[in-house]
Amino acid sequence: MTTLLLLRRTGLLACSLALAACSILPKADPQTVYRLPPASTSAAANTGSSDPRALRIATPYASRSLDSERILVLPEGDVVKSYAGARWSDPAPVLVRERLLEAFQADGRFGSLSGDQSNIAASIELAGSLLAFQSEYRNGVPTIVIVYDARMIDTATRRQLAAQRFSVTQAVAGSQLPEVVSAFGRASDRLAAEVVAWAASIR
């Protein structure tokens, strides 16, 4: 009986200590989740000929630091950091894929569009690598930098039809995070417009 009572008391003491430890552990700081701002302007009317081919937009390949939900910033030199207490709603490559898909849909030139997350058949695929998606401080001023290596591929033969590097910079109107996010949206719009025009010229 004495042994059983001792075991019960020991168990109660262990539970009390565990609860006390939980109460003094630091709580995780809540993070603000940002989506990529919607396209700021509607697409211009398409004056080119339509393309009956089905186009698939692939999620760009990215390095481990870029393939995340962190909002990256290079405050100086090659030092890579992220904005504290904030993150993207999706990893950067997914944000770029969705912005490209929206731009192609607004342009309306291709007969069919899909992302690589679906199982829809396509005759050509826009693939590539996301080399930069970050804010960089240049002369003390934050600037958005997006670099995307695009490749158009024939899905039947896997032959590369064309390749092009797109590099976009966008000055930030301020230094606060909402202003940085807004500039990311404008830079993404410009990137998407350039990629759409290039892709439509490939035959």
Side-chain angles (χ1 to χ4, degrees), residues 2-72:
T2 305
T3 303
L4 180 59
L5 182 60
L6 180 60
L7 288 173
R8 286 179 176 175
R9 288 180 175 176
T10 303
L12 288 172
L13 178 60
C15 290
S16 298
L17 291 174
L19 290 172
C22 289
S23 65
I24 62 175
L25 287 175
K27 296 181 179 179
D29 293 331
Q31 287 194 320
T32 301
V33 179
Y34 287 94
R35 66 174 183 172
L36 193 63
S40 57
T41 57
S42 58
N46 170 30
T47 57
S49 59
S50 61
D51 191 327
R53 293 176 297 177
L55 172 64
R56 179 190 301 132
I57 314 291
T59 305
Y61 167 81
S63 65
R64 187 168 60 180
S65 61
L66 278 173
D67 192 7
S68 75
E69 297 169 354
R70 297 187 304 157
I71 305 177
L72 297 184

Side-chain angles (χ1 to χ4, degrees), residues 52-128:
R53 293 176 297 177
L55 172 64
R56 179 190 301 132
I57 314 291
T59 305
Y61 167 81
S63 65
R64 187 168 60 180
S65 61
L66 278 173
D67 192 7
S68 75
E69 297 169 354
R70 297 187 304 157
I71 305 177
L72 297 184
V73 56
L74 276 65
E76 57 180 344
D78 297 321
V79 177
V80 180
K81 295 185 177 181
S82 60
Y83 288 96
R87 65 177 178 85
W88 290 118
S89 57
D90 288 294
V94 175
L95 296 178
V96 171
R97 181 197 70 199
E98 292 303 301
R99 181 50 51 91
L100 290 172
L101 186 56
E102 291 172 6
F104 277 101
Q105 288 171 337
D107 179 75
R109 242 174 295 199
F110 284 89
S112 174
L113 295 166
S114 63
D116 58 359
Q117 77 279 20
S118 66
N119 292 320
I120 299 175
S123 51
I124 54 175
E125 179 180 83
L126 175 64

